[in-house]
Amino acid sequence: MSRKLSREVAFRIGYGIEPIRQDCVKDHALASFGITQKLDVEFIDNLINAVVDNRSEIDMIIGSSLKAGYTLDRLASTDLAALRLGVAEIKYLDEVPEVVIDAMVTIARKYGTEKSAGFVNGVLATVAK
């Protein structure tokens, strides 16, 4: 399985759920996407755990990267989820920023609004600097 699909599964697991429900959602998402490879499951777990364990810091990083007048509570929930995953992957999993940005832009384009891809690209590019 590709990292691209693993990131999408992580997005679906992490999007709009509280940590207490993650195991149930994770099992369903893994089954829906047919994910059985140990390396893929470990990557997804590491990514979700990085977001959950560092959420406050991730939100501060995102907040400081937003243009004036924007706050986290004004962001579309899909954009915020993609940004959280992107920041977690760049800052805590040491993935190549350009690869992460491209993947999160693809997810934002698929699940967000027509402006989401450009917005996520801009914020993550700022974070990566």
Side-chain angles (χ1 to χ4, degrees):
M1 167 163 310
S2 71
R3 282 277 171 103
K4 185 175 183 178
L5 187 55
S6 294
R7 287 179 177 103
E8 185 172 347
V9 172
F11 171 83
R12 286 185 156 198
I13 294 168
Y15 169 71
I17 63 170
E18 295 302 316
I20 197 162
R21 294 185 52 221
Q22 282 181 346
D23 286 337
C24 177
V25 174
K26 176 184 151 193
D27 292 342
H28 178 70
L30 293 174
S32 294
F33 280 88
I35 295 175
T36 58
Q37 299 274 334
K38 183 178 178 180
L39 286 175
D40 296 326
V41 174
E42 286 176 359
F43 174 76
I44 292 165
D45 284 341
N46 289 338
L47 185 50
I48 293 296
N49 289 336
V51 173
V52 171
D53 294 345
N54 301 289
R55 188 169 172 168
S56 295
E57 186 176 348
I58 289 169
D59 286 353
M60 286 190 326
I61 292 168
I62 294 168
S64 68
S65 301
L66 296 175
K67 291 182 180 179
Y70 278 88
T71 57
L72 291 181
D73 59 335
R74 285 191 61 203
L75 302 182
S77 57
T78 52
D79 294 354
L80 183 56
L83 290 171
R84 283 177 173 153
L85 287 171
V87 170
E89 202 169 348
I90 291 168
K91 296 293 183 182
Y92 303 105
L93 301 183
D94 296 321
E95 293 291 333
V96 177
E98 294 80 11
V99 173
V100 174
I101 293 168
D102 182 61
M104 292 305 127
V105 166
T106 300
I107 287 171
R109 186 174 288 118
K110 183 173 182 177
Y111 292 99
T113 67
E114 60 186 50
K115 295 183 178 184
S116 293
F119 177 74
V120 167
N121 183 60
V123 173
L124 290 179
T126 300
V127 169
K129 288 182 183 174

